[in-house]
Amino acid sequence: MTRPAIAPDMWLPLDPQTGRPGDPVVGSASLGFWAGVRSRLWRHRPAMAGLGFIILLIVAAVFGPMLSPYSYFQQNLELSNLPPVYRPYTVAEGVQVHVNTSNLSLYEVGDGGGLTGLLRPDGRDMINRQTTWEIAGKTVVLDYGQRPAVLTIDGEVAQAGGRKLNRRNPFGTDQLGRDVLVRQLYGARISLLVAAAAVLANFVIGVVYGGVSGLLGGRVDAVMMRIVEIVATIPLTLYVILMMVVLQSGLLSVVLAIGTVYWVDMARVVRGQILTLKSQDYVAAARTMGASTSRILFKHLLPNAFGPILVTLTMLIPSAIFIESFMSFIGLGVTPPQASWGTLTSEAVETLRAYPHQLFFPAVAISLTMLAFNFLGDGLRDALDPRLSS
Amino acid sequence: MTAPLLSLRDLRTEYRTDRGVVQAVRGVELTLHRGEILGLVGESGSGKSVTCMSLLKLLKRGGHITSGTADFDGVDLLSLSDRALTRVRGDRIGVIFQDPMSALNPTMTVGRQIVEVLMQHRRIGKNAARARAVELFKLVRIPSPETRIDNYPHEFSGGMRQRVMIAIALACEPDILIADEPTTALDVTIQRQILALLKELRDRLGMAIILVTHDLGVIAETADRVMVLYGGQVMEEAPVADLFAAPQHPYTRGLLAAIPDPRLAGRPLSPVRGSPPDMRSPPPGCPFAPRCPRAMRICATPPPMYDGTESARLRPTQRSRCWLADTNAPAPTPEPAE
Amino acid sequence: MTGASRLPLMWLAQRIGMMLLTLLAIITLTFALMHAVPGGPFVSEKMLAPEIEAALNAKFGLDQPIWRQYLNYLGGVLTFDLGPSFKYPGVSVNSMIADGLAVTAQTGLLAMICVVAVGVPAGIVAALNRGRWPDTLAMFLASLGIAVPSYVIATVALYIFALRLGWTPAFGLDDWRGYILPVVALSGFWMSFVARLTRSNLLETMSQDYIMTARAKGLPARTVMLRHGLRNSLIPVVTVLGPVVANLLTGSFVIEQIFALPGIGRHFVQSITNRDYTAIMGITIFYAVFLMLMILIVDLLYLWLDPRISYGDRK
Ligand SMILES: Nc1ncnc2c1ncn2[C@@H]1O[C@H](COP(=O)(O)OP(=O)(O)OP(=O)(O)O)[C@@H](O)[C@H]1O
Ligand code: SF4
Ligand SMILES: [Mg+2]
C-alpha cells in the first residue's frame, strides 16, 4: 500500500489547550428537563392546537356573555327556533321575509340581515290551509296544504334567495327564543367551572390522600389503598348520580359531586410517585435533618412529581366536563334556565325533527373541547416522557 | 490458515432518529475463523452491539446498513433478504443477549421457546424437539431439565436464564455464536461459570464465538483474539497475548492502564478521561483525538489501519488504526502520569 | 405448573371476601344516602299511595328504629329481594330489573363484542402500519371516539341514519337494524380506547428484548408478531375490560333514553326523575354486584393469561 508523504510538522503534538482536532460534543444532555419538555410540547401540533382552542374558549366564556346584548335566560317566544342561516324571500324592494316551514310563521328581516320580528298574519284560512299576510302592499300567502309549504306573493310562487346570516342571533334561537350563542357561552362557563372545580378538589384531595398514604406507608398505607380500591370499583358516574339524588339538581351539587369523586387516580399517582421518590437519597437526608412530613411533601416531593400530576390533571378535565354534560343531558345536572352543553344537547334532541341545526352547536362545542383537552393531555404525556421521542 | 468462516468488510450502519443520524458503525472489518473466540471490547456506544446485530440485520427501528459485505460460507449475509436471513438466524448463527431477564418471553415456557427454534429449522416433531430441548438443558447444565423445561422464565434465576438463552442459541448447533455481553447482568461467580461453559461448549461443539464485553478481564480469560472498538471503528486488533503484552493504540493503552492486572479486573471500562464522541457528528479525523494524550496535528486526518506486516511498530499479527504506528511518527515516549 | 393449578384458592377466598366487604360498603352507603334524602323511603311521615306505604312498612318496618330498617333491607338484599317500588303500587324493584335485563344485556354484550372485535384489530392494524395512512386514520377516528361523548354520537347518528337517511329505526329493537346505532354509540368510547391501548402496547411489546430474541431465532416476522408480540401486548388490554363493563352500564343510561330502549338503564334514570328511591337503591346494588363479578372474572382471565402473576403469594 502506498501512502501519501506526510509533512514532518504534521507529527508535532497538539497543544492540549488550543485547537485539538474536534472537541467532544456534549450532546443535548445539558438541556434542562423542562426546557426539553417545553420544546417537545411545542412541536406537538395537536397539543398546541388544543391549547390554542382552550385559551380561546376561556376568553370567549369569560368575556362573551358580557359583550352579548342578550342573557342566557331572557326569553322571546315570538322569536323562537330561529336558524343561524336562512334563505329570505324578497317581497318587495328592500323588504324580505324568512319562512319557518315548521311552525308556518313569517319573520321580518332587519336591515343588517337579522331576523328581528314575527309578522302577524292578517288572515287564516284553516280549511284551505293557508295563511295570509299583507306586506308592503302585497299579499303574501303561505300554502301549507302541500309539503313543504309554498309561499306565494301576489299569486306568484316565490323563490327563496341566497343564504343569509342571521345577524341578530348568529347561532339562532332556541325553543323559548333565547339566544343560542350566549347560552353556548354560558355552557362553556359551566363546563370550565366544573373543570376548574374538579381540578382544584382533586389536586387537594388526591395529593393529600396519596401523599399521606405514600409517606406514612405501612399499615396506614395498606388501609388507605384498600379504601381507594373500594372506591375505584364503583363506577364514578353511578356515584355522582347518587350524590345528585341526595343533593338535588343544581350547579353547586354538580360541582360538589364531581369535585369529590375523581381524586382516586390522583391519589394513586401521587402515592406511586412518592414511593419511588422516597427511596431516593435526598428525601432520607431531609428526614434525618428533621424536616416534617408536610414539609417533605411540599418542598421535595411535589416538585418532582409535578409531571405525572400535571398529566393526570389534564386527563381529568375532559372526564369532569363529560360527566357534567352527561348528568345534565339525563336531567340530573344544572337546572333550567341554566344552560350547560348537556342540557343544550338534550333540548336540541327534543326539537331534532323540526330544527336539527340546534343540535349542531352544543355537539360541536363539547366535542371540540373534549378533543382539545385530550390532545393537550396526550401531548403533555408524550413531552414528559423523553423515552417516547426517539 | 484456512479460509475464514466469516469475513465482514467495510460495515457502515446508521440510525436515523428524529434528533439526527447516528453513525453507529463506520467501516468495521472483522474476520472470524472456525472454532475461534473473538472478543470485541470498547466503551459503551462504541458500536459493538450494532456491529454484531448488523451481521444478521437485527437492527432496531431506524437502523440501516448503508454499506458492507459479510461473507459467510460463500454468501453475503448483508445482501440477503429478511426471509432468506431467517434461515441463517438461529440455525447457523445463534445469538445470546446481555440481559437474560428481558430476553426471554415471559409468558411462554422456556421449553416452548427452545422447541420453537428447533421446529423452525429442523424437520422434527414436537416430541423429538422436546427431547432435544431436555438434552440441551443438560448440555448447559440446568438441573432437573425434564421438569424445568415446563417452567416460565420468571421461575429461573438470572444465571439459569442465561443458560436457557445459551441452550436456545445452541439448539441448532450453529457455526457462529454471537454473545453480546452475556455476563454483564450477572454477578461475578455466575459470570465465571457462564464463561467457562461457553468455552467448554466451544471446545465440544467447535463453533466460533463473537464475545462482546466491556470487561478486559473477560477477554483475557476467554478470547483468542481481540478487537478494540471506538467511535464505530476498529482501533486495534491482535491476538489476546499480543494485545496485553504490547498494546499500540493509545486508546487500548488507556483501557489497560486503568487495570493494574487485567486478570483480576471485573469492572466496566471507563478509564480514559473525557467522554466518547457524539456519533451524530463524530470527529473528522481519528475519533479518539479529542481524548488522546498523544494527539498530533496529523490526527485531524483519519488514520489508516496499519498492519503488523508492514509497520515495524507493530507485532506481525497486530493491526492498529493510529498514526503513531507509522514508522515516521515520533517514537513512543512513556506516557505522562496523570 | 399449569394454568389450572395456579388458581390460588386462598387468593380467591380473600378476593371474594373483599368483594363482599365492598358490597356491604355500597349497600350501607346507598342506604345512608337514601336516608338522607328529604322525603326518602325510610321516613315515616310522607304523602304516599296507601298501598305503597303499606308495602314499604311491611318490608322495612318504617316505625322501627333506623338500624332495624337497615338490617331489614340488608336481609332483603341477601335474599335477592330488593323490596317494593316507591312509586308504582304493586311493582317490585326485582321485577323492574327483570323487565329491563334482556334489553340491557343484549346491547351491552353486543357493545362488548364490538369493543374487542373492532378495537383490538384496529389497534393491531395501526401498529403494523405505524406512521402510514391506516395508522393515521385509525388513530384519528380513535381520538374522535374518545373525545366525542356517547350521547353526542348517539343523537347525531340518530339524526343522520334514522331521521335523515331512514336506514335504521329511530327507536326500539324490533329489528336487527335497531341495534346498530345504540351499540355503536355505547361502544364508541371503549372501542377507541382499546384500539389506542392495543396499538401502544403492541408497539411497546415489539420493542422488547424478547422480540429481538425471537427474531434472532430465525422466526418469520409474522410468527414473531403473532406468537410473541400480540399475546403479551393484549394482556394489559384485558385489564381494562372490567372498567369497560362499568362504563357500558353507565353509558346505557343515556343510550337507552335516546333510543327509547326499555332497559335497566332507562328504568334507572326514570326512577331518578320519579324519585323512586327504593328502585334507585335496588338498581345501584344490582349494578354493584354485577360489576364485582365482572371484575373477578377479568382478574381470573388475567391470571390465566399472564403466568408471571401469582395472586397466591401476595403479601
Ligand atoms: N436503536 C438505536 N437508535 C439510535 N441510536 C442507536 C440505537 N442503538 C444504538 N445506537 C447508537 O449506536 C451507537 C453504537 O451503539 P452500540 O449499541 O453498538 O454500542 P455498544 O458498544 O454495544 O455499547 P454498550 O456497551 O452500551 O452496549 C451508539 O452511539 C448508540 O447511541
Ligand atoms: S491517531 Fe492520533 S489521536 Fe488517534 S489515537 Fe493515534 S495518536 Fe491518538
Ligand atoms: Mg451493546
PDB file of all heavy atoms in Angstrom, chain A residues 333-360:
ATOM      1  N   GLY A 333     -78.353  17.335  36.061  1.00  0.00           N
ATOM      2  CA  GLY A 333     -77.278  18.307  36.260  1.00  0.00           C
ATOM      3  C   GLY A 333     -77.826  19.668  36.634  1.00  0.00           C
ATOM      4  O   GLY A 333     -78.618  19.781  37.557  1.00  0.00           O
ATOM      5  N   VAL A 334     -77.386  20.658  35.877  1.00  0.00           N
ATOM      6  CA  VAL A 334     -77.820  22.022  36.172  1.00  0.00           C
ATOM      7  C   VAL A 334     -79.316  22.134  35.871  1.00  0.00           C
ATOM      8  O   VAL A 334     -79.864  21.400  35.061  1.00  0.00           O
ATOM      9  CB  VAL A 334     -77.040  23.051  35.349  1.00  0.00           C
ATOM     10  CG1 VAL A 334     -75.561  22.946  35.638  1.00  0.00           C
ATOM     11  CG2 VAL A 334     -77.305  22.883  33.867  1.00  0.00           C
ATOM     12  N   THR A 335     -79.958  23.065  36.552  1.00  0.00           N
ATOM     13  CA  THR A 335     -81.399  23.207  36.394  1.00  0.00           C
ATOM     14  C   THR A 335     -81.720  24.366  35.461  1.00  0.00           C
ATOM     15  O   THR A 335     -80.976  25.335  35.422  1.00  0.00           O
ATOM     16  CB  THR A 335     -82.040  23.473  37.757  1.00  0.00           C
ATOM     17  OG1 THR A 335     -81.182  24.368  38.480  1.00  0.00           O
ATOM     18  CG2 THR A 335     -82.199  22.197  38.539  1.00  0.00           C
ATOM     19  N   PRO A 336     -82.806  24.282  34.708  1.00  0.00           N
ATOM     20  CA  PRO A 336     -83.203  25.385  33.849  1.00  0.00           C
ATOM     21  C   PRO A 336     -83.455  26.627  34.700  1.00  0.00           C
ATOM     22  O   PRO A 336     -83.865  26.467  35.850  1.00  0.00           O
ATOM     23  CB  PRO A 336     -84.512  24.909  33.207  1.00  0.00           C
ATOM     24  CG  PRO A 336     -84.650  23.478  33.566  1.00  0.00           C
ATOM     25  CD  PRO A 336     -83.744  23.168  34.682  1.00  0.00           C
ATOM     26  N   PRO A 337     -83.232  27.798  34.186  1.00  0.00           N
ATOM     27  CA  PRO A 337     -82.857  28.097  32.805  1.00  0.00           C
ATOM     28  C   PRO A 337     -81.374  28.001  32.544  1.00  0.00           C
ATOM     29  O   PRO A 337     -80.945  28.377  31.463  1.00  0.00           O
ATOM     30  CB  PRO A 337     -83.334  29.534  32.651  1.00  0.00           C
ATOM     31  CG  PRO A 337     -83.108  30.132  33.996  1.00  0.00           C
ATOM     32  CD  PRO A 337     -83.416  29.038  34.986  1.00  0.00           C
ATOM     33  N   GLN A 338     -80.579  27.546  33.515  1.00  0.00           N
ATOM     34  CA  GLN A 338     -79.139  27.499  33.266  1.00  0.00           C
ATOM     35  C   GLN A 338     -78.846  26.592  32.078  1.00  0.00           C
ATOM     36  O   GLN A 338     -79.528  25.600  31.872  1.00  0.00           O
ATOM     37  CB  GLN A 338     -78.409  26.973  34.496  1.00  0.00           C
ATOM     38  CG  GLN A 338     -78.283  28.036  35.553  1.00  0.00           C
ATOM     39  CD  GLN A 338     -77.524  27.546  36.747  1.00  0.00           C
ATOM     40  OE1 GLN A 338     -77.473  26.359  37.007  1.00  0.00           O
ATOM     41  NE2 GLN A 338     -76.937  28.467  37.461  1.00  0.00           N
ATOM     42  N   ALA A 339     -77.819  26.986  31.337  1.00  0.00           N
ATOM     43  CA  ALA A 339     -77.511  26.238  30.131  1.00  0.00           C
ATOM     44  C   ALA A 339     -76.177  25.548  30.289  1.00  0.00           C
ATOM     45  O   ALA A 339     -75.188  26.168  30.636  1.00  0.00           O
ATOM     46  CB  ALA A 339     -77.450  27.187  28.946  1.00  0.00           C
ATOM     47  N   SER A 340     -76.205  24.248  30.105  1.00  0.00           N
ATOM     48  CA  SER A 340     -74.946  23.508  30.042  1.00  0.00           C
ATOM     49  C   SER A 340     -74.950  22.825  28.683  1.00  0.00           C
ATOM     50  O   SER A 340     -76.002  22.654  28.082  1.00  0.00           O
ATOM     51  CB  SER A 340     -74.901  22.493  31.177  1.00  0.00           C
ATOM     52  OG  SER A 340     -74.428  21.256  30.716  1.00  0.00           O
ATOM     53  N   TRP A 341     -73.784  22.417  28.209  1.00  0.00           N
ATOM     54  CA  TRP A 341     -73.761  21.774  26.894  1.00  0.00           C
ATOM     55  C   TRP A 341     -74.615  20.512  26.893  1.00  0.00           C
ATOM     56  O   TRP A 341     -75.180  20.129  25.887  1.00  0.00           O
ATOM     57  CB  TRP A 341     -72.324  21.489  26.475  1.00  0.00           C
ATOM     58  CG  TRP A 341     -71.598  22.735  26.080  1.00  0.00           C
ATOM     59  CD1 TRP A 341     -72.167  23.893  25.645  1.00  0.00           C
ATOM     60  CD2 TRP A 341     -70.198  22.952  26.088  1.00  0.00           C
ATOM     61  NE1 TRP A 341     -71.204  24.819  25.378  1.00  0.00           N
ATOM     62  CE2 TRP A 341     -69.973  24.271  25.637  1.00  0.00           C
ATOM     63  CE3 TRP A 341     -69.091  22.171  26.418  1.00  0.00           C
ATOM     64  CZ2 TRP A 341     -68.704  24.818  25.517  1.00  0.00           C
ATOM     65  CZ3 TRP A 341     -67.831  22.709  26.282  1.00  0.00           C
ATOM     66  CH2 TRP A 341     -67.640  24.021  25.846  1.00  0.00           C
ATOM     67  N   GLY A 342     -74.698  19.884  28.054  1.00  0.00           N
ATOM     68  CA  GLY A 342     -75.547  18.698  28.157  1.00  0.00           C
ATOM     69  C   GLY A 342     -77.015  19.041  28.014  1.00  0.00           C
ATOM     70  O   GLY A 342     -77.744  18.415  27.238  1.00  0.00           O
ATOM     71  N   THR A 343     -77.487  20.072  28.738  1.00  0.00           N
ATOM     72  CA  THR A 343     -78.907  20.430  28.620  1.00  0.00           C
ATOM     73  C   THR A 343     -79.188  20.974  27.226  1.00  0.00           C
ATOM     74  O   THR A 343     -80.243  20.712  26.657  1.00  0.00           O
ATOM     75  CB  THR A 343     -79.320  21.489  29.662  1.00  0.00           C
ATOM     76  OG1 THR A 343     -78.417  22.571  29.572  1.00  0.00           O
ATOM     77  CG2 THR A 343     -79.297  20.934  31.063  1.00  0.00           C
ATOM     78  N   LEU A 344     -78.237  21.724  26.677  1.00  0.00           N
ATOM     79  CA  LEU A 344     -78.454  22.257  25.328  1.00  0.00           C
ATOM     80  C   LEU A 344     -78.631  21.106  24.342  1.00  0.00           C
ATOM     81  O   LEU A 344     -79.494  21.153  23.465  1.00  0.00           O
ATOM     82  CB  LEU A 344     -77.275  23.132  24.900  1.00  0.00           C
ATOM     83  CG  LEU A 344     -77.176  24.480  25.624  1.00  0.00           C
ATOM     84  CD1 LEU A 344     -75.884  25.186  25.266  1.00  0.00           C
ATOM     85  CD2 LEU A 344     -78.367  25.351  25.268  1.00  0.00           C
ATOM     86  N   THR A 345     -77.816  20.069  24.515  1.00  0.00           N
ATOM     87  CA  THR A 345     -77.957  18.926  23.614  1.00  0.00           C
ATOM     88  C   THR A 345     -79.308  18.246  23.811  1.00  0.00           C
ATOM     89  O   THR A 345     -79.993  17.914  22.847  1.00  0.00           O
ATOM     90  CB  THR A 345     -76.829  17.909  23.848  1.00  0.00           C
ATOM     91  OG1 THR A 345     -75.586  18.592  23.877  1.00  0.00           O
ATOM     92  CG2 THR A 345     -76.794  16.858  22.755  1.00  0.00           C
ATOM     93  N   SER A 346     -79.695  18.043  25.067  1.00  0.00           N
ATOM     94  CA  SER A 346     -80.952  17.320  25.267  1.00  0.00           C
ATOM     95  C   SER A 346     -82.135  18.161  24.804  1.00  0.00           C
ATOM     96  O   SER A 346     -83.113  17.642  24.280  1.00  0.00           O
ATOM     97  CB  SER A 346     -81.102  16.862  26.714  1.00  0.00           C
ATOM     98  OG  SER A 346     -81.432  17.931  27.540  1.00  0.00           O
ATOM     99  N   GLU A 347     -82.036  19.507  24.951  1.00  0.00           N
ATOM    100  CA  GLU A 347     -83.092  20.356  24.405  1.00  0.00           C
ATOM    101  C   GLU A 347     -83.141  20.240  22.886  1.00  0.00           C
ATOM    102  O   GLU A 347     -84.209  20.216  22.282  1.00  0.00           O
ATOM    103  CB  GLU A 347     -82.860  21.819  24.804  1.00  0.00           C
ATOM    104  CG  GLU A 347     -83.243  22.109  26.242  1.00  0.00           C
ATOM    105  CD  GLU A 347     -82.647  23.414  26.757  1.00  0.00           C
ATOM    106  OE1 GLU A 347     -82.175  24.225  25.934  1.00  0.00           O
ATOM    107  OE2 GLU A 347     -82.645  23.595  27.992  1.00  0.00           O
ATOM    108  N   ALA A 348     -81.953  20.160  22.300  1.00  0.00           N
ATOM    109  CA  ALA A 348     -81.908  20.052  20.840  1.00  0.00           C
ATOM    110  C   ALA A 348     -82.516  18.728  20.387  1.00  0.00           C
ATOM    111  O   ALA A 348     -83.124  18.654  19.318  1.00  0.00           O
ATOM    112  CB  ALA A 348     -80.471  20.163  20.345  1.00  0.00           C
ATOM    113  N   VAL A 349     -82.366  17.677  21.209  1.00  0.00           N
ATOM    114  CA  VAL A 349     -82.935  16.398  20.830  1.00  0.00           C
ATOM    115  C   VAL A 349     -84.464  16.497  20.773  1.00  0.00           C
ATOM    116  O   VAL A 349     -85.094  15.917  19.888  1.00  0.00           O
ATOM    117  CB  VAL A 349     -82.477  15.295  21.808  1.00  0.00           C
ATOM    118  CG1 VAL A 349     -83.233  14.009  21.561  1.00  0.00           C
ATOM    119  CG2 VAL A 349     -80.989  15.059  21.671  1.00  0.00           C
ATOM    120  N   GLU A 350     -85.041  17.283  21.671  1.00  0.00           N
ATOM    121  CA  GLU A 350     -86.492  17.432  21.666  1.00  0.00           C
ATOM    122  C   GLU A 350     -86.992  18.006  20.338  1.00  0.00           C
ATOM    123  O   GLU A 350     -88.073  17.664  19.879  1.00  0.00           O
ATOM    124  CB  GLU A 350     -86.938  18.379  22.798  1.00  0.00           C
ATOM    125  CG  GLU A 350     -86.780  17.774  24.174  1.00  0.00           C
ATOM    126  CD  GLU A 350     -86.905  18.830  25.263  1.00  0.00           C
ATOM    127  OE1 GLU A 350     -87.499  19.903  25.013  1.00  0.00           O
ATOM    128  OE2 GLU A 350     -86.381  18.576  26.369  1.00  0.00           O
ATOM    129  N   THR A 351     -86.208  18.901  19.755  1.00  0.00           N
ATOM    130  CA  THR A 351     -86.641  19.536  18.518  1.00  0.00           C
ATOM    131  C   THR A 351     -85.873  18.993  17.312  1.00  0.00           C
ATOM    132  O   THR A 351     -85.809  19.633  16.275  1.00  0.00           O
ATOM    133  CB  THR A 351     -86.413  21.057  18.602  1.00  0.00           C
ATOM    134  OG1 THR A 351     -85.036  21.280  18.922  1.00  0.00           O
ATOM    135  CG2 THR A 351     -87.284  21.684  19.653  1.00  0.00           C
ATOM    136  N   LEU A 352     -85.314  17.790  17.481  1.00  0.00           N
ATOM    137  CA  LEU A 352     -84.421  17.256  16.449  1.00  0.00           C
ATOM    138  C   LEU A 352     -85.104  17.130  15.081  1.00  0.00           C
ATOM    139  O   LEU A 352     -84.504  17.403  14.054  1.00  0.00           O
ATOM    140  CB  LEU A 352     -83.903  15.885  16.899  1.00  0.00           C
ATOM    141  CG  LEU A 352     -82.708  15.340  16.137  1.00  0.00           C
ATOM    142  CD1 LEU A 352     -81.540  16.305  16.205  1.00  0.00           C
ATOM    143  CD2 LEU A 352     -82.279  13.997  16.714  1.00  0.00           C
ATOM    144  N   ARG A 353     -86.378  16.734  15.076  1.00  0.00           N
ATOM    145  CA  ARG A 353     -87.039  16.542  13.796  1.00  0.00           C
ATOM    146  C   ARG A 353     -87.258  17.857  13.057  1.00  0.00           C
ATOM    147  O   ARG A 353     -87.018  17.958  11.857  1.00  0.00           O
ATOM    148  CB  ARG A 353     -88.387  15.849  13.994  1.00  0.00           C
ATOM    149  CG  ARG A 353     -88.245  14.362  14.136  1.00  0.00           C
ATOM    150  CD  ARG A 353     -89.502  13.740  14.690  1.00  0.00           C
ATOM    151  NE  ARG A 353     -89.197  12.454  15.287  1.00  0.00           N
ATOM    152  CZ  ARG A 353     -89.104  11.315  14.593  1.00  0.00           C
ATOM    153  NH1 ARG A 353     -89.322  11.317  13.301  1.00  0.00           N
ATOM    154  NH2 ARG A 353     -88.809  10.206  15.188  1.00  0.00           N
ATOM    155  N   ALA A 354     -87.699  18.891  13.793  1.00  0.00           N
ATOM    156  CA  ALA A 354     -88.019  20.152  13.139  1.00  0.00           C
ATOM    157  C   ALA A 354     -86.791  21.032  12.952  1.00  0.00           C
ATOM    158  O   ALA A 354     -86.638  21.670  11.910  1.00  0.00           O
ATOM    159  CB  ALA A 354     -89.075  20.896  13.951  1.00  0.00           C
ATOM    160  N   TYR A 355     -85.935  21.087  13.969  1.00  0.00           N
ATOM    161  CA  TYR A 355     -84.808  22.014  13.907  1.00  0.00           C
ATOM    162  C   TYR A 355     -83.497  21.293  14.215  1.00  0.00           C
ATOM    163  O   TYR A 355     -82.892  21.504  15.268  1.00  0.00           O
ATOM    164  CB  TYR A 355     -84.997  23.169  14.890  1.00  0.00           C
ATOM    165  CG  TYR A 355     -86.340  23.827  14.759  1.00  0.00           C
ATOM    166  CD1 TYR A 355     -87.332  23.643  15.713  1.00  0.00           C
ATOM    167  CD2 TYR A 355     -86.624  24.618  13.641  1.00  0.00           C
ATOM    168  CE1 TYR A 355     -88.568  24.233  15.574  1.00  0.00           C
ATOM    169  CE2 TYR A 355     -87.872  25.208  13.491  1.00  0.00           C
ATOM    170  CZ  TYR A 355     -88.845  25.012  14.456  1.00  0.00           C
ATOM    171  OH  TYR A 355     -90.062  25.576  14.313  1.00  0.00           O
ATOM    172  N   PRO A 356     -83.066  20.415  13.302  1.00  0.00           N
ATOM    173  CA  PRO A 356     -81.851  19.634  13.590  1.00  0.00           C
ATOM    174  C   PRO A 356     -80.629  20.514  13.818  1.00  0.00           C
ATOM    175  O   PRO A 356     -79.703  20.108  14.511  1.00  0.00           O
ATOM    176  CB  PRO A 356     -81.676  18.774  12.350  1.00  0.00           C
ATOM    177  CG  PRO A 356     -82.543  19.361  11.304  1.00  0.00           C
ATOM    178  CD  PRO A 356     -83.648  20.071  12.000  1.00  0.00           C
ATOM    179  N   HIS A 357     -80.638  21.722  13.257  1.00  0.00           N
ATOM    180  CA  HIS A 357     -79.448  22.568  13.407  1.00  0.00           C
ATOM    181  C   HIS A 357     -79.170  22.904  14.865  1.00  0.00           C
ATOM    182  O   HIS A 357     -78.053  23.224  15.231  1.00  0.00           O
ATOM    183  CB  HIS A 357     -79.589  23.847  12.590  1.00  0.00           C
ATOM    184  CG  HIS A 357     -80.660  24.763  13.085  1.00  0.00           C
ATOM    185  ND1 HIS A 357     -81.920  24.782  12.549  1.00  0.00           N
ATOM    186  CD2 HIS A 357     -80.665  25.652  14.103  1.00  0.00           C
ATOM    187  CE1 HIS A 357     -82.652  25.672  13.205  1.00  0.00           C
ATOM    188  NE2 HIS A 357     -81.920  26.198  14.152  1.00  0.00           N
ATOM    189  N   GLN A 358     -80.198  22.820  15.705  1.00  0.00           N
ATOM    190  CA  GLN A 358     -79.962  23.178  17.111  1.00  0.00           C
ATOM    191  C   GLN A 358     -79.028  22.192  17.804  1.00  0.00           C
ATOM    192  O   GLN A 358     -78.432  22.505  18.828  1.00  0.00           O
ATOM    193  CB  GLN A 358     -81.298  23.265  17.856  1.00  0.00           C
ATOM    194  CG  GLN A 358     -82.129  24.434  17.345  1.00  0.00           C
ATOM    195  CD  GLN A 358     -83.405  24.629  18.130  1.00  0.00           C
ATOM    196  OE1 GLN A 358     -83.732  23.850  19.011  1.00  0.00           O
ATOM    197  NE2 GLN A 358     -84.127  25.687  17.810  1.00  0.00           N
ATOM    198  N   LEU A 359     -78.927  20.998  17.226  1.00  0.00           N
ATOM    199  CA  LEU A 359     -78.007  20.009  17.800  1.00  0.00           C
ATOM    200  C   LEU A 359     -76.555  20.365  17.492  1.00  0.00           C
ATOM    201  O   LEU A 359     -75.646  20.017  18.231  1.00  0.00           O
ATOM    202  CB  LEU A 359     -78.331  18.626  17.217  1.00  0.00           C
ATOM    203  CG  LEU A 359     -77.474  17.456  17.660  1.00  0.00           C
ATOM    204  CD1 LEU A 359     -77.594  17.252  19.153  1.00  0.00           C
ATOM    205  CD2 LEU A 359     -77.884  16.187  16.932  1.00  0.00           C
ATOM    206  N   PHE A 360     -76.379  21.072  16.382  1.00  0.00           N
ATOM    207  CA  PHE A 360     -75.041  21.297  15.870  1.00  0.00           C
ATOM    208  C   PHE A 360     -74.106  21.976  16.882  1.00  0.00           C
ATOM    209  O   PHE A 360     -73.032  21.475  17.189  1.00  0.00           O
ATOM    210  CB  PHE A 360     -75.134  22.124  14.588  1.00  0.00           C
ATOM    211  CG  PHE A 360     -73.814  22.434  13.958  1.00  0.00           C
ATOM    212  CD1 PHE A 360     -73.156  21.479  13.200  1.00  0.00           C
ATOM    213  CD2 PHE A 360     -73.222  23.674  14.134  1.00  0.00           C
ATOM    214  CE1 PHE A 360     -71.937  21.754  12.623  1.00  0.00           C
ATOM    215  CE2 PHE A 360     -71.992  23.958  13.555  1.00  0.00           C
ATOM    216  CZ  PHE A 360     -71.356  22.993  12.808  1.00  0.00           C
TER     217      PHE A 360
END
